[in-house]
Every structure is written in structure tokens, then in C-alpha cells.
Amino acid sequence: EVQLLESGGGLVQRGGSLRLSCEASGFTFSKNAMSWVRQAPGKGLEWVSLISGRGGSTSSADSVKGRFTISRDNSKNTLYLQMDSLRVEDTAVYYCAKMDQSTSDNFDVWGQGTLVTVSS
Amino acid sequence: SYELTQPLSVSVALGQTARLTCGENTIGSKNVHWYQHKPGQAPVLVMYRNTNRPSGIPERFSGSNSGNTATLTISRAEAGDEADYYCQVWNSVVVFGGGTRLTVL
């Protein structure tokens, strides 16, 4: 069974840092691009960052560019999101999502999410 | 920036047909994907590349995309279909619509 399990969320003060992890199982991790998507309270889904299967290519939303860094360790089947200079508006549930290998433009598996709360 | 427009809410009577729309001037030239998201759960892909249902998604779900509107159609609506639905495209980056809350009456 394909599974994604996020961890690392919690409460942090404005300006602080946090690292999220997403452990993958049930598929060949290194063959799939992966992404982070978030949902702020009462808001819709917002794409955050994307990384290619081998990790050589990344992209991020303007709202997090320069503050968040996506990375992966294919030997550990794990995706990461390093979040620095956190803002109150970064408060959200953060989802890890697997990009569909056959289409490369949509997400076919999602994790349950991990909550990040940034206090002022 | 590229924006996808979805109605905030749609209501449908039990057993009737719901049509959820996603609008943008050039959307007909894009591959549109749809996700179902229930509170406290992981989002679920219910339609990919306009008209394709992933395995496990009921045939009651269908999709179309033409001109400036993509549509997710849910036939014979059930109580379990009540959720937020998001459209998504790839436009050099990932773009989500604002989401539609589907209420089954």
C-alpha cells in the first residue's frame, strides 16, 4: 500500500524554524516528484514546493521563496521541508503529496498532514 | 498570475446531479485535475487529465473541459460526496482553484 506519513509539525514563534518530514512507503520513491501543499485555517489548498525525483530540480511558491527549502533523501524514502523565518500566516496543515509518475502534473497520493502553528 | 475560479459553494439534493465548475480563459487548453477533501482527511484525487477517473472512484464522477470552463459532474449524489472540491492545473507551477464546498441536501 502506498503511504505518506508527515511529522515534525508543532507550535513555533514568529521568526523561528521548523523541519517537516514525510516518510514514504509502497512505491519507488526516487522515481516520483514530490510536493508540499498547505491549508491555512478556513482557507483552500495552497501549493508550497516541488522537488524532482532525484532532487536536482526544485520550485517554490512566491509566498515561501527564500524562507522554505524542500529536499529529499532517497536512501531514506523521506521528503523534507525546512521552514525558516516563519510568519503567522504560515500557520496551516502541511500535506506531503506524491506526483503521479505517469502524468507528472497531478498528485495521486497524499499524506494525512501535520499542523504547524506560528504564534506572534 | 494564473488563477482558477471556483464557486464557493454548491448544493445538490440527494440523488440529483451536481456540477462543479473551474474557470479560466485558457483552461480548455490545460489538463485539469480534481481533488475531494473532507475535514480531517487527506485530499483524494477523483479526476485527472479532465476526464479520467482513478481506480476506486465511482463512475458517478465524470469530468469535462472546454473553452473557459472545466466541470466535475457528480451524478446521483450521495451524502458521502459532501466535501470540498479543488481543481488544479500545471502552469509552470502547481495552481489550485479556491475550492467549492459541496452540500448534499
Side-chain angles (χ1 to χ4, degrees), chain A:
Chain A
E1 183 188 2
V2 177
Q3 284 191 327
L4 299 172
L5 184 62
E6 302 95 336
S7 61
L11 176 63
V12 62
Q13 282 196 327
R14 182 178 53 194
S17 297
L18 211 54
R19 188 175 85 154
L20 306 183
S21 300
C22 170
E23 188 171 342
S25 59
F27 64 100
T28 306
F29 184 66
S30 61
K31 291 193 174 182
N32 290 91
M34 299 291 295
S35 198
W36 290 97
V37 177
R38 68 184 181 183
Q39 183 178 36
K43 304 291 186 181
L45 298 177
E46 179 191 14
W47 172 73
V48 174
S49 289
L50 176 73
I51 187 167
S52 61
R54 294 188 178 184
S57 176
T58 64
S59 59
S60 295
D62 288 343
S63 58
V64 305
K65 207 167 285 185
R67 301 187 299 120
F68 290 11
T69 303
I70 191 171
S71 63
R72 64 192 298 161
D73 185 338
N74 287 345
S75 68
K76 296 182 178 179
N77 287 351
T78 302
L79 174 73
Y80 302 102
L81 185 68
Q82 177 66 42
M83 304 186 295
D84 299 319
S85 303
L86 280 161
R87 304 169 180 170
V88 172
E89 55 264 36
D90 294 320
T91 295
V93 175
Y94 285 74
Y95 296 97
C96 162
K98 168 185 169 291
M99 186 153 271
D100 188 334
Q101 186 179 351
S102 62
T103 64
S104 299
D105 61 0
N106 65 276
F107 305 110
D108 59 352
V109 181
W110 296 65
Q112 291 289 334
T114 186
L115 176 61
V116 172
T117 303
V118 183
S119 67
S120 55

Side-chain angles (χ1 to χ4, degrees), chain A residues 100 103 105-108 110, chain B residues 20 31-36 43-65 70-75 85-89 96:
Chain A
D100 188 334
T103 64
D105 61 0
N106 65 276
F107 305 110
D108 59 352
W110 296 65
Chain B
L20 310 180
N31 286 317
V32 180
H33 320 287
W34 292 89
Y35 303 89
Q36 177 191 71
V44 174
L45 179 69
V46 296
M47 195 68 55
Y48 67 97
R49 295 209 157 176
N50 305 316
T51 61
N52 297 278
R53 270 179 300 106
S55 63
I57 301 303
E59 291 183 9
R60 302 184 296 103
F61 287 75
S62 62
S64 64
N65 184 17
T71 303
L72 176 71
T73 300
I74 305 172
S75 304
Y85 290 83
Y86 296 89
C87 58
Q88 176 251 312
V89 303
F96 287 102

